[in-house]
């Protein structure tokens, strides 16, 4: 069994005891389940080409992307869908900053965007020391400091004119862009294909999925924002990620897989789609799991609430 040893030993012991009674893949009615008893994923809509990047604002509304159609959609707390931004820079992963701006991995031109509530776009990052990024994919904002961590894997896009990464970039990495800075700094250059990313609400730990290697790692975040002491969290990669208030980490791909902070698998949530790209907690109480999966989006009522 592997776990992130940054957690206090006493806490890990409690988590492991809880995991011993954790539910099996289809036993979501168990009292240990993170899902409301008897609940199953409910289809919201199937009118998209490929859904990704859900992010929740302070009111509980969800914004998500349909990258092939170059749109950002809004799913409000009343359950209504509307288009928030089109065109949208081929946005992929998104996350809200403390000022209420929607940060987006806009990989049409391999940039990071900040989108104001009225839809006004500001380009936060264009390149790294003059080198074209592979294609920013997912991001997370560290609380209080406002620093942005983002993954930069290479996935060939049909709307690009280039056919290969910038050879001078030096690989596929995790970067950090400090608040009010214009230069991103590589944090980990020893990953095959970093993708999903999420941090803890206290700003002390960061999880990064290396989907190319089929692994997810956890790091300590230093006072200056630098990542330290990389440790293996689980032997599973992930497209997108989220975390709940109990510290459980949600990975995606084949449905949604939930792991305790100790790295113990506690639940497998089946989604009736060929690929589950990403998740976040939605609603006024953050007690609904919002799931982007291929051409569709789903919601699922939860017994736990999302971290804020």
């Amino acid at each position: 069994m592997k776990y992130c040893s940054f957690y206090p030993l006493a806490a890990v012991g409690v988590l492991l005891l809880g995991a011993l009674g954790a539910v099996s893949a289809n036993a979501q009615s168990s009292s240990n389940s993170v899902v409301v008893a008897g609940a199953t994923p409910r289809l919201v809509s199937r009118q998209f080409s490929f859904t990704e990047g859900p992010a929740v604002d302070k009111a509980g509304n969800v914004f998500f992307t349909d990258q092939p159609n170059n749109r950002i959609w809004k799913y409000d707390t009343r359950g209504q869908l509307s288009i928030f931004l089109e065109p949208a820079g081929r946005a992929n992963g998104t996350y809200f900053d403390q000022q209420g701006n929607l940060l987006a991995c806009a990989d049409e031109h391999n940039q990071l965007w900040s989108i104001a509530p009225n839809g006004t776009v500001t380009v936060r990052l264009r390149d790294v020391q003059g080198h074209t990024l592979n294609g920013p994919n997912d991001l997370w904002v560290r609380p209080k400091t406002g620093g942005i961590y983002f993954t930069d894997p290479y996935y060939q896009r049909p709307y690009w004119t280039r056919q290969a990464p910038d050879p001078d970039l030096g690989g596929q990495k995790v970067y950090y862009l400090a608040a009010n800075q214009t230069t991103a700094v590589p944090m980990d250059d020893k990953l095959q294909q970093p993708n999903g990313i999420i941090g803890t609400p206290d700003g002390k730990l960061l999880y990064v999925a290396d989907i190319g290697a089929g692994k997810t790692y956890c790091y300590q975040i230093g006072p200056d924002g630098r990542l330290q002491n990389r440790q293996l969290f689980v032997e599973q990669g992930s497209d997108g990620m989220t975390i709940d208030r109990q510290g459980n980490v949600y990975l995606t791909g084949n449905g949604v897989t939930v792991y305790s902070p100790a790295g113990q698998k506690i639940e497998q949530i089946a989604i009736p789609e060929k690929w589950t790209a990403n998740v976040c907690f939605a609603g006024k109480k953050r007690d609904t799991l919002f799931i982007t999966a291929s051409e569709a989006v789903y919601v699922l009522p939860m017994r736990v609430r999302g971290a804020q």
Side-chain angles (χ1 to χ4, degrees):
M1 179 180 296
K2 298 178 175 65
Y3 59 87
C4 184
S5 63
F6 306 141
Y7 286 91
L9 290 178
V12 170
V14 171
L15 290 164
L16 293 178
L17 286 173
L20 293 177
V23 296
S24 62
N26 296 308
Q28 294 183 1
S29 62
S30 166
S31 61
N32 292 307
S33 174
V34 295
V35 179
V36 167
T40 57
R42 176 179 66 82
L43 177 67
V44 173
S45 181
R46 185 190 301 282
Q47 58 177 296
F48 318 103
S49 293
F50 189 80
T51 56
E52 248 286 11
V56 63
D57 67 11
K58 292 180 180 179
N61 305 300
V62 176
F63 294 72
F64 66 96
T65 65
D66 183 2
Q67 191 177 41
N69 290 318
N70 205 13
R71 295 173 183 144
I72 296 177
W73 287 78
K74 178 181 179 180
Y75 178 75
D76 68 25
T77 55
R78 300 169 299 168
Q80 301 298 310
L81 280 169
S82 60
I83 294 176
F84 169 65
L85 187 66
E86 181 183 18
R90 302 286 184 175
N92 195 336
T94 67
Y95 202 88
F96 276 95
D97 66 16
Q98 295 299 310
Q99 291 72 45
N101 302 306
L102 183 64
L103 303 180
C105 293
D107 82 0
E108 182 173 19
H109 299 294
N110 313 295
Q111 300 170 339
L112 290 185
W113 282 9
S114 175
I115 309 170
N118 65 1
T120 301
V121 172
T122 301
V123 178
R124 285 283 283 110
L125 184 70
R126 297 181 183 277
D127 53 36
V128 174
Q129 296 180 339
H131 302 305
T132 302
L133 289 161
N134 293 311
N137 187 279
D138 203 0
L139 74 166
W140 175 73
V141 180
R142 190 183 188 191
K144 296 183 180 179
T145 70
I148 303 169
Y149 295 88
F150 68 95
T151 57
D152 186 46
Y154 189 86
Y155 293 100
Q156 185 65 48
R157 304 300 191 191
Y159 43 83
W160 288 346
T161 57
R162 62 175 172 153
Q163 297 298 313
D166 184 331
D168 296 321
L169 187 64
Q172 304 182 50
K173 308 174 186 179
V174 175
Y175 291 91
Y176 177 63
L177 179 63
N180 303 316
Q181 296 296 310
T182 58
T183 301
V185 179
M187 290 288 105
D188 192 342
D189 60 1
K190 300 296 190 296
L191 300 167
Q192 290 185 32
Q193 197 171 42
N195 199 312
I197 189 169
I198 196 70
T200 53
D202 61 6
K204 294 181 178 181
L205 293 181
L206 184 73
Y207 295 90
V208 176
D210 186 346
I211 199 168
K215 301 177 187 297
T216 296
Y217 298 99
C218 61
Y219 305 76
Q220 287 179 307
I221 304 176
D224 61 354
R226 293 190 176 272
L227 301 183
Q228 306 167 350
N229 304 325
R230 184 178 86 172
Q231 293 188 14
L232 180 65
F233 178 57
V234 293
E235 295 272 3
Q236 179 182 333
S238 184
D239 195 340
M241 305 168 70
T242 195
I243 191 168
D244 67 27
R245 293 187 187 180
Q246 297 180 7
N248 300 315
V249 180
Y250 295 64
L251 306 185
T252 61
N254 178 23
V256 181
T257 309
V258 187
Y259 289 91
S260 75
Q264 177 71 32
K265 182 178 177 179
I266 59 174
E267 192 143 1
Q268 179 70 36
I269 302 171
I271 306 298
E273 300 293 339
K274 57 188 176 183
W275 184 255
T276 300
N278 216 325
V279 287
C280 76
F281 280 86
K284 296 178 180 179
K285 297 182 178 180
R286 306 294 193 276
D287 57 357
T288 298
L289 195 65
F290 186 90
I291 305 155
T292 58
S294 301
E295 296 90 2
V297 292
Y298 290 81
V299 290
L300 179 64
M302 304 295 286
R303 295 181 60 246
V304 295
R305 294 186 181 185
Q308 296 185 32

